Amino acid sequence: QVQLQESGPGLVKPSETLSLTCTVSGGSISHYYWSWIRQPPGKGLEWIGDIYDSGSPKYNPSLKSRVTMSVDTSKNQFSLRLSFVTAADTAVYFCARDRLAYQAGDFDLWGRGTLVTVSS
Amino acid sequence: EIVLTQSPGTLSLSPGERATLSCRASQNVYSSYLAWYQQKPGQAPRLLIYGASSRATGIPDRFSGSGSGTDFTLTISRLEPEDFVVYYCQQFGSSPWTFGQGTKVEIK
């Protein structure tokens, strides 16, 4: 059974870079789109972007200038970097897999999420 | 960007009652690209409905989805105690993918 697990620092200072990794276990990272989605405390969901196993990320324009996603197929991992963070970036960050291979869109598999707090 | 507006923000009902949740899009969304999720406190969202009306694997048949164009509906035919949580709609017909702000179903 495929599972996702986010990892990374839970506390990041303002103006620094948030870095998270999602490890895919129980299955291959190939042939799927992989997304990052975040949820500020008590608020709704925001799609950050996605990446395919061969690269070619797609980002939400609202964050595009600060976001970088990458994939490491040899480690079955994909990563998120968000630069110049502020308190508004405090959120639970989820990694997720699209339901269908080769097709981006809805998400049938999610990590448990990791809370990242931006504070000095 | 397609904005999804969910209504009501909070729905107060009793167990056994029928819940009707609305999701309205600011532009047409092709039905295949509309999904519904359920989120329990402290958990990741769970996919309930994809393609506007197809139940995801393992989802009870009391959950159903309908709609097209700009108006979509999630119906829970008979509320069970575990259904009193938050529900989100999502579109992926036009990038960036967007979510509605959520509807909380609470016990009356």
Side-chain angles (χ1 to χ4, degrees):
Chain A
Q1 183 173 346
V2 182
Q3 294 184 320
L4 307 182
Q5 178 66 58
E6 303 90 350
S7 59
L11 182 63
V12 181
K13 290 182 169 56
S15 80
E16 296 191 343
T17 296
L18 177 161
S19 295
L20 296 174
T21 296
C22 183
T23 300
V24 181
S25 60
S28 174
I29 201 169
S30 299
H31 309 310
Y32 282 90
Y33 285 86
W34 303 91
S35 284
W36 288 98
I37 296 157
R38 69 180 184 177
Q39 185 172 37
K43 296 188 178 180
L45 300 161
E46 179 181 33
W47 178 75
I48 299 170
D50 67 18
I51 189 165
Y52 194 60
D53 62 357
S54 58
S56 301
K58 182 164 74 263
Y59 304 137
N60 190 322
S62 68
L63 298 167
K64 187 175 183 178
S65 64
R66 299 192 291 129
V67 172
T68 304
M69 292 183 185
S70 59
V71 62
D72 187 336
T73 54
S74 67
K75 294 182 178 179
N76 242 26
Q77 293 177 334
F78 60 104
S79 299
L80 168 72
R81 289 172 58 86
L82 181 65
S83 61
F84 302 108
V85 296
T86 69
D89 296 310
T90 293
V92 174
Y93 285 76
F94 296 100
C95 57
R97 188 194 73 177
D98 287 78
R99 180 175 57 88
L100 295 177
Y102 311 106
Q103 180 173 321
D106 48 7
F107 314 109
D108 70 336
L109 186 64
W110 296 67
R112 298 180 67 175
T114 186
L115 175 63
V116 178
T117 301
V118 178
S119 175
S120 55
Chain B
E1 171 175 321
I2 294 179
V3 176
L4 299 179
T5 302
Q6 292 186 240
S7 61
T10 301
L11 191 55
S12 298
L13 294 167
S14 300
E17 289 195 298
R18 181 185 188 91
T20 303
L21 287 66
S22 174
C23 176
R24 177 162 291 178
S26 60
Q27 305 171 38
N28 276 348
V29 175
Y30 183 57
S31 294
S32 294
Y33 303 142
L34 194 288
W36 289 92
Y37 299 85
Q38 177 192 67
Q39 187 177 32
K40 297 180 178 179
Q43 295 186 17
R46 176 175 69 149
L47 180 65
L48 293 177
I49 300 289
Y50 63 89
S53 60
S54 298
R55 275 187 300 277
T57 303
I59 301 303
D61 61 7
R62 65 180 182 275
F63 293 93
S64 63
S66 63
S68 63
T70 60
D71 291 300
F72 298 88
T73 300
L74 173 70
T75 301
I76 310 171
S77 59
R78 296 171 308 279
L79 285 164
E80 297 287 341
E82 61 269 26
D83 299 336
F84 291 89
V85 291
V86 181
Y87 296 85
Y88 294 95
C89 57
Q90 180 228 347
Q91 69 79 27
F92 51 100
S94 174
S95 184
W97 312 153
T98 51
F99 293 86
Q101 82 280 15
T103 289
K104 179 180 181 180
V105 179
E106 66 174 22
I107 298 177
K108 187 175 182 180

